[in-house]
Amino acid sequence: MVRFFIALAAFCVASACDAAPTEEAFAKDMLQRLQSALPGETLQVKADEPLVIVAPNEDHRDDAFYNLHRIYGFCLNAAADDCESVKQDYVAKLTAPRTEASKEDLRIIVRDQDYIDYLRDTIPADDRPQYRQIGEGLYALLALDSPSTISVPALKELRELGLTQEEAWPLAMKQTKAVLPELSLDGLKEGRPYAFEEFEYLPSLLADTEWWTAAEPQLSQDLFATAVSDQFVFIAFMQDGPRLENFKQTVLEDCMAQPRCISPFVYRFRNGRWVVAD
């Protein structure tokens, strides 16, 4: 299986980008940090992608990829101290010793189209993580939780856990819901807003499309959801119009401020899937 660590590219404002380090300089700095943390590994910047560091193996079937797009994008807009903190956190988490996974570690995470495109572009089909589309540019993926990081297993790893895809998805959903705050259908029917934060996997509240499909006929068409990070989801109600357009800009700016933005869009649930609000 190809091991990889991937992230979302963030947005860049012109004033910040003008003073930012080049991709090559940023990758060189991160290469030195990763190499110091992994003295036994052979690491190199990928020839055709300056923001990807690779630890190649002889057969290239178990290469480790360290994707720097997300933290580079964040650092373009962040204060120097915040950028340094994210760099240190990235290296610490991705070089920590890995514990043996079990089926009890299965979770569901949500990522956007850029994440999936990266999977398709860089990982052979047989080694790709398992994902399902839940909306417009929005995907649920099977994941394995651990104290230091989250990995996304390929079908081979699920089999090693004694699971088929058909068994893994409902188990992952059940175990993810067990660590998430409860979303009240009665509260939503009453038009009550929900702002969830400081839980892991919060965007997975949007991943149970069967629940949302059953709830949709009972809910206002003005319901919307945002998921700017793994630790913040906002579900509330707002009609189309200038107020919503202004709110979209707020969500975009909030996304830009996140070390890992899940999605910069405002979504509505329509016909069994999440769609970007017009």
Side-chain angles (χ1 to χ4, degrees):
M1 166 190 176
V2 176
R3 291 183 292 121
F4 65 96
F5 311 101
I6 64 182
L8 304 178
F11 296 89
C12 173
V13 295
S15 59
C17 291
D18 290 342
T22 64
E23 293 181 352
E24 290 77 10
F26 189 87
K28 181 179 179 180
D29 174 47
M30 293 303 297
L31 176 63
Q32 292 172 343
R33 293 169 185 253
L34 288 165
Q35 193 68 78
S36 295
L38 298 168
E41 294 276 358
T42 300
L43 303 177
Q44 61 193 44
V45 176
K46 200 163 185 274
D48 57 346
E49 287 190 76
L51 287 176
V52 176
I53 293 172
V54 61
N57 285 295
E58 290 184 5
D59 61 1
H60 298 288
R61 293 290 295 175
D62 197 28
D63 289 353
F65 292 94
Y66 299 87
N67 188 306
L68 306 176
H69 287 86
R70 172 179 61 85
I71 59 172
Y72 178 70
F74 173 75
C75 285
L76 289 177
N77 299 296
D81 288 348
D82 292 336
C83 176
E84 177 63 24
S85 177
V86 166
K87 286 180 177 180
Q88 292 180 10
D89 185 64
Y90 180 93
V91 173
K93 286 184 176 180
L94 297 187
T95 60
R98 301 189 180 279
T99 57
E100 185 174 349
S102 69
K103 62 179 65 177
E104 288 75 20
D105 298 322
L106 266 178
R107 301 288 188 271
I108 287 176
I109 61 173
V110 171
R111 295 293 183 261
D112 76 350
Q113 189 67 54
D114 288 341
Y115 192 101
I116 298 302
D117 288 345
Y118 188 84
L119 295 183
R120 292 169 175 166
D121 291 344
T122 60
I123 299 175
D126 291 344
D127 294 326
R128 286 177 196 154
Q130 305 302 295
Y131 60 85
R132 292 176 175 176
Q133 189 163 10
I134 61 172
E136 191 175 353
L138 208 60
Y139 296 81
L141 295 92
L142 292 177
L144 289 169
D145 190 30
S146 75
S148 60
T149 190
I150 298 170
S151 62
V152 277
L155 185 57
K156 175 184 175 182
E157 287 180 288
L158 293 180
R159 290 172 179 156
E160 291 172 353
L161 296 176
L163 294 170
T164 64
Q165 283 194 71
E166 292 72 20
E167 295 167 331
W169 281 100
L171 177 61
M173 181 63 73
K174 177 183 178 181
Q175 293 178 167
T176 305
K177 282 188 170 183
V179 299
L180 288 174
E182 184 177 358
L183 188 60
S184 168
L185 178 58
D186 288 339
L188 291 174
K189 288 164 64 175
E190 294 169 2
R192 188 183 308 163
Y194 288 88
F196 295 114
E197 57 185 331
E198 298 182 358
F199 288 82
E200 294 292 336
Y201 305 106
L202 279 173
S204 298
L205 287 168
L206 310 183
D208 190 353
T209 52
E210 291 185 5
W211 187 92
W212 284 102
T213 298
E216 183 182 5
Q218 307 174 63
L219 300 177
S220 167
Q221 291 291 290
D222 294 333
L223 180 142
F224 71 83
T226 69
V228 295
S229 79
D230 279 322
Q231 291 80 37
F232 186 76
V233 162
F234 186 42
I235 301 170
F237 300 84
M238 191 182 300
Q239 294 179 348
D240 294 338
R243 184 164 168 250
L244 180 63
E245 294 306 309
N246 291 336
F247 181 69
K248 289 178 183 178
Q249 183 62 32
T250 300
V251 173
L252 175 60
E253 292 170 359
D254 195 12
C255 172
M256 292 169 59
Q258 303 299 321
R260 179 193 290 279
C261 175
I262 302 304
S263 175
F265 299 116
V266 175
Y267 289 93
R268 297 200 190 277
F269 196 80
R270 298 287 187 267
N271 301 317
R273 65 197 296 265
W274 295 98
V275 298
V276 176
D278 294 332

